[in-house]
């Protein structure tokens, strides 16, 4: 079994068949962030709610220079049928591509075949414009994804890159520091001593600042 991609590693180069035609990943999204989310099969209730939820937030992801791409262990014709069903029954048109993976090769390469599961697990990969995996989230079949959390994660990672800071729990609504961000650790004694003079904080190792507009 190939080594599965981990956080901080390059997303593996894959040629995939999708509802939008053949694509090469991560090349197809070069210069953009993308979120890849997997499903065990088409025409499953939890996954259908997630497909609709992702579509309803698609414009918000696009504003963050982020594309969406789904994956399911079925063929393109089944994906098309499922997408048409969603449009007909729920009046939602799925605009992002969906990978066909009826042989499970993509799922295996991405580490989505878990020993205790009888099918492809539901996972999320957040990948940056350099093709680096920045976050991975796994979900069991009985728990639908929190799509607002995935959107928050993309926004937080982008702001972290820009500000060179870390985001606290529940950012931007943290119980201790609100929407402020955490300054990286001090690199030497002198900078540790100066930190509370330059920033707000509880101690030299826990200082924070407000993001500039």
């Amino acid at each position: 079994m190939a080594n599965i991609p981990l956080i901080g590693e390059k997303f593996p180069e894959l040629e995939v068949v999708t509802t939008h035609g053949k694509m090469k990943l991560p090349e197809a999204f070069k210069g953009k962030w993308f979120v890849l989310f997997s499903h065990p099969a088409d025409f499953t209730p939890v996954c259908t709610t997630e497909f609709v939820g992702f579509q309803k937030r698609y414009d918000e992801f696009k504003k963050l220079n982020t594309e969406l791409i789904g994956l399911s262990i079925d063929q393109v014709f089944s994906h098309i049928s499922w997408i048409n069903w969603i449009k007909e029954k729920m009046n939602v048109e799925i605009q992002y591509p969906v990978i066909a993976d009826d042989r499970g090769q993509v799922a295996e390469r991405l580490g989505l075949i878990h020993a205790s599961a009888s099918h492809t697990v539901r996972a999320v990969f957040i990948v940056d414009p350099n093709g680096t995996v920045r976050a991975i989230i796994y979900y069991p079949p009985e728990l639908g994804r929190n799509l607002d959390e995935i959107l928050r994660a993309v926004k937080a990672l982008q702001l972290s890159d820009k500000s060179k800071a870390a985001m606290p729990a529940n950012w931007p609504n943290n119980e201790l520091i609100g929407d402020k961000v955490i300054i990286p650790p001090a690199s030497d004694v002198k900078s540790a001593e100066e930190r509370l003079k330059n920033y707000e904080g509880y101690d030299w190792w826990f200082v924070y600042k407000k993001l500039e507009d």
Side-chain angles (χ1 to χ4, degrees), residues 72-182:
S72 183
I73 305 296
D74 277 303
Q75 298 181 36
V76 168
F77 74 84
S78 177
H79 291 352
I80 293 172
S81 182
W82 186 22
I83 288 169
N84 286 340
W85 185 95
I86 291 172
K87 182 178 180 180
E88 178 184 348
K89 300 293 185 181
M90 300 177 175
N91 197 32
V92 175
E93 184 175 358
I94 303 301
Q95 297 175 314
Y96 49 80
V98 184
I99 298 170
D101 191 31
D102 54 306
R103 295 185 179 180
Q105 293 175 331
V106 178
E108 184 173 359
R109 180 65 186 88
L110 295 179
L112 305 179
I113 310 297
H114 289 194
S116 60
S118 58
H119 47 67
T120 299
V121 298
R122 292 160 54 250
V124 176
F125 290 86
I126 299 176
V127 184
D128 71 18
N130 297 317
T132 301
V133 178
R134 299 295 298 275
I136 306 172
I137 313 171
Y138 292 107
Y139 294 84
E142 65 272 18
L143 178 63
R145 283 169 260 224
N146 185 325
L147 306 182
D148 289 328
E149 166 59 14
I150 296 168
L151 188 64
R152 184 194 79 98
V154 172
K155 185 175 182 179
L157 287 167
Q158 292 183 359
L159 287 174
S160 177
D161 286 354
K162 183 179 179 180
S163 65
K164 305 303 180 186
M167 305 298 158
N170 296 321
W171 180 89
N173 300 302
N174 179 259
E175 292 83 351
L176 296 174
I177 63 175
D179 64 351
K180 296 173 183 176
V181 298
I182 297 171

